[in-house]
């Protein structure tokens, strides 16, 4: 493979937390060296003049819904892979909430084959924690891990039977397997469409208390103390859950936490007059909660930012708010939405990429997410200041259910490289 030299780049380093001008040489799919900006490129290398734009590790997005098998009309590996490349996401970690659920090695192998054939980015599949995601009997975690599952989760279905959940955690601990959980007390959150409070009352919508998140987290922390398993919370969205997370980390439990970009950049008032593209799970929170979780990301208490990409077709969204499906697409809007926090001076670019690239790589044991020699050449070049108004019709995802339709955003991906190959170039 011909070497490529990225010159005149603004290097966003999530390890050193620096933002400096420099250059990078890649060859054979890996980073060969990182230089200061005055370095002369090798004669044999192709030169990419970055023009002072930002060069960062590719985003690793945990919790992406690709609707294969079962609902290919919503999202396929081909469409999700193209959307990811356009959004600067070089690795997608897919959820098992398909139809049927990914709960056997055979289904997992089907997913891996389709991803390898169709997606231009890396695809790492997760598998279900319990059979059919029904919370009654755990899956064959060892066989699924051997088949390539990088983590185990029932997604937004909470395992209510604590004996089943504790057994699954104990077995996962014996294999050093990662378990990902969704923290919402099912009794309190059942049937809820928004967060409880004045806004919910004014709109006449069924709400759920933020304490439902805190209560579920407290339960799971207790089980972690008992089992010693590795555990990642898919989303922490309320201020009330943060002290419990902080204590668990301080006490040495193997716990990390993530948050979707929509909960970092939107609040409950964005639902306005029953706009179903803003119906998410968990529901959007108060502005006070939003500010608290942004601060938690900046401080490193919340480890990971993800898109929680959940494609839904028009028929499932064009319904009364209570009946509409939850979720939003986010592969292409993850970076420009997250850059809202940078432009608001709430978080720096290196800290953003710590949460979107480095920490996901560390959680999954990947060498990516770093701008260092011998790291994979998974890179994105982007202009953090480029303004645009999003038109959802232009999204590459099959489903167009984005809450940012018509929103004014800043930040355009100019190029995406996966293992040294350019898989996206802004036209």
């Amino acid at each position: 493979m011909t070497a490529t030299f990225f010159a005149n780049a603004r290097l966003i380093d999530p390890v050193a937390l620096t933002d400096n001008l420099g250059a990078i040489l890649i060859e054979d799919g890996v980073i060969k060296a990182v230089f200061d900006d005055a370095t002369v490129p090798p004669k044999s290398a192709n030169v990419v003049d970055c023009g002072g734009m930002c060069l960062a590790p590719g985003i690793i997005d945990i919790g992406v819904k690709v609707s294969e098998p079962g609902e290919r009309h919503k999202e396929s590996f081909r469409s999700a892979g193209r959307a990811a490349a356009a959004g600067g996401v070089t690795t997608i970690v897919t959820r098992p909430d398909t139809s049927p659920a990914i709960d056997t090695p055979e289904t997992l192998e089907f997913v891996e084959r389709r991803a390898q054939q169709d997606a231009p980015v890396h695809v790492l599949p997760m598998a279900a924690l319990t059979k059919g995601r029904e919370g009654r009997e755990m899956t064959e975690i060892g066989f699924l891990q051997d088949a390539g599952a990088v983590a185990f989760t029932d997604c937004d279905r909470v395992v209510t039977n604590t004996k089943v959940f504790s057994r699954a955690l104990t077995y996962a601990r014996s294999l050093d397997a990662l378990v990902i959980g969704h923290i919402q007390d099912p009794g309190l959150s059942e049937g809820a469409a928004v967060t409880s409070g004045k806004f919910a009352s004014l709109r006449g919508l069924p709400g759920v208390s933020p304490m439902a998140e805190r209560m579920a987290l407290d339960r799971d922390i207790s089980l972690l103390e008992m089992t010693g398993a590795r555990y990642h919370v898919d989303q922490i969205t309320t201020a009330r859950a943060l002290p419990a997370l902080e204590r668990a980390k301080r006490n040495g439990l193997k716990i990390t936490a993530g948050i979707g970009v929509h909960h970092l950049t939107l609040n409950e008032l964005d639902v306005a007059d029953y706009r179903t593209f803003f119906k998410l799970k968990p529901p959007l929170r108060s502005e006070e909660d939003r500010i608290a979780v942004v601060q938690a990301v900046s401080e490193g208490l919340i480890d990971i930012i993800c898109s929680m990409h959940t494609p839904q077709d028009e028929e499932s969204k064009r319904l009364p708010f209570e009946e509409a499906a939850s979720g939003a697409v986010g592969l292409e809007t993850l970076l420009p939405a997250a850059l809202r926090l940078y432009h608001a001076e709430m978080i720096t670019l290196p800290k953003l990429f710590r949460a979107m690239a480095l920490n996901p790589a560390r959680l999954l044991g990947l060498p990516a997410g770093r701008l260092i020699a011998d790291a994979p050449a998974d890179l994105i070049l982007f202009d953090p200041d480029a303004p645009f108004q999003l038109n959802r019709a232009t999204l590459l995802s099959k489903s167009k259910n984005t809450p940012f339709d018509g929103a004014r955003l800043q930040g355009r991906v100019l190029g995406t490289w996966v293992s040294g190959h350019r898989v996206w170039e802004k036209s």
Side-chain angles (χ1 to χ4, degrees):
M1 183 185 294
T2 305
T4 302
F5 186 84
F6 295 87
N8 190 25
R10 182 179 162 190
L11 302 182
I12 309 301
D13 187 338
V15 177
L17 293 179
T18 56
D19 178 353
N20 299 316
L21 286 177
I24 286 181
L25 176 68
I26 67 172
E27 189 175 3
D28 297 328
V30 299
I31 296 173
K32 285 295 183 182
V34 181
F35 307 98
D36 62 39
D37 194 44
T39 303
V40 177
K43 291 183 179 179
S44 59
N46 292 325
V47 178
V48 176
D49 185 354
C50 298
M53 295 295 104
C54 294
L55 188 66
I59 296 169
I60 300 171
D61 193 4
I62 295 180
V64 173
K65 172 73 176 287
V66 179
S67 306
E68 288 190 80
E71 296 177 305
R72 198 168 182 270
H73 65 285
K74 292 185 179 181
E75 194 78 287
S76 65
F77 279 104
R78 184 180 299 277
S79 61
R82 292 175 63 229
V89 177
T90 54
T91 300
I92 58 176
V93 184
T94 59
R95 306 198 313 249
D97 53 341
T98 51
S99 180
I102 301 170
D103 60 359
T104 64
E106 293 78 15
T107 312
L108 186 71
E109 288 164 5
F110 164 80
V111 166
E112 290 178 311
R113 285 197 306 271
R114 290 303 297 262
Q116 190 173 16
Q117 292 169 2
D118 294 346
V121 301
H122 303 299
V123 178
L124 302 176
M126 296 188 286
L129 184 66
T130 65
K131 293 181 179 180
R133 298 172 51 235
E134 294 177 351
R136 293 198 293 263
E137 183 181 356
M138 69 179 180
T139 55
E140 295 285 357
I141 294 175
F143 291 153
L144 286 162
Q145 192 175 39
D146 291 343
V150 297
F152 297 86
T153 178
D154 279 353
C155 304
D156 59 358
R157 291 189 185 174
V158 177
V159 181
T160 56
N161 187 316
T162 51
K163 182 168 287 189
V164 170
F165 194 33
S166 65
R167 285 174 177 168
L169 288 171
T170 300
Y171 194 67
R173 168 69 181 85
S174 70
L175 298 170
D176 195 32
L178 175 66
V179 175
I180 297 181
H182 180 76
I183 52 167
Q184 283 293 305
D185 180 89
L188 287 176
S189 59
E190 184 178 4
V194 292
T195 300
S196 60
K198 183 178 180 181
F199 178 79
S201 299
L202 288 172
R203 289 293 182 267
L205 293 171
V208 57
S209 168
M211 283 302 295
E213 184 170 283
R214 166 67 182 277
M215 290 166 62
L217 180 60
D218 284 339
R219 183 203 73 156
D220 290 1
I221 287 173
S222 299
L223 292 174
L224 292 184
E225 290 180 5
M226 185 171 72
T227 62
R230 287 202 300 137
Y231 185 68
H232 177 72
V233 180
D234 65 352
Q235 292 197 86
I236 283 187
T237 61
T238 66
R240 292 184 179 183
L242 295 176
L245 175 64
E246 192 277 331
R247 285 195 302 272
K249 287 190 169 188
R250 189 175 65 244
N251 291 336
L253 297 183
K254 298 175 184 177
I255 186 170
T256 53
I259 186 170
V261 72
H262 301 109
H263 288 87
L264 288 171
T265 54
L266 304 169
N267 66 33
E268 60 186 349
L269 301 183
D270 287 302
V271 171
D273 292 324
Y274 311 101
R275 298 165 69 188
T276 57
F277 280 6
F278 291 82
K279 185 180 181 183
L280 305 172
K281 187 183 288 185
L284 291 172
R285 307 300 192 181
S286 69
E287 178 66 4
E288 291 76 13
D289 280 326
R290 187 189 75 83
I291 292 173
V293 292
V294 170
Q295 184 66 26
V297 171
S298 180
E299 294 173 353
L301 178 58
I302 292 179
D303 306 88
I304 290 170
I305 299 173
C306 61
S307 69
M308 288 307 293
H309 180 82
T310 306
Q312 301 287 5
D313 53 28
E314 296 285 326
E315 289 77 12
S316 62
K317 277 292 188 180
R318 300 296 186 189
L319 293 170
F321 197 89
E322 289 182 51
E323 300 172 21
S326 299
V329 294
L331 283 168
E332 290 169 82
T333 55
L334 172 56
L335 180 59
L339 287 172
R340 282 184 165 185
L341 307 177
Y342 162 69
H343 290 298
E345 299 183 349
M346 301 179 79
I347 191 168
T348 65
L349 282 177
K351 286 184 176 181
L352 270 182
F353 278 86
R354 179 183 65 185
M356 294 192 297
L358 177 61
N359 285 346
R362 285 174 170 169
L363 180 66
L364 299 173
L366 306 176
R370 303 158 173 88
L371 295 183
I372 59 174
D374 297 325
D378 298 341
L379 303 169
I380 60 170
L381 180 68
F382 67 97
D383 181 350
D385 301 314
F388 68 101
Q389 185 171 16
L390 182 71
N391 178 357
R392 71 188 186 98
T394 64
L395 294 177
L396 297 178
S397 293
K398 284 189 176 184
S399 296
K400 316 293 184 183
N401 54 306
T402 173
F404 295 114
D405 184 34
R408 297 184 184 277
L409 300 169
Q410 280 182 277
R412 285 282 202 182
V413 175
L414 306 176
T416 305
W417 287 260
V418 174
S419 299
H421 296 281
R422 191 163 193 160
V423 297
W424 171 258
E425 181 174 6
K426 184 180 181 300
S427 57

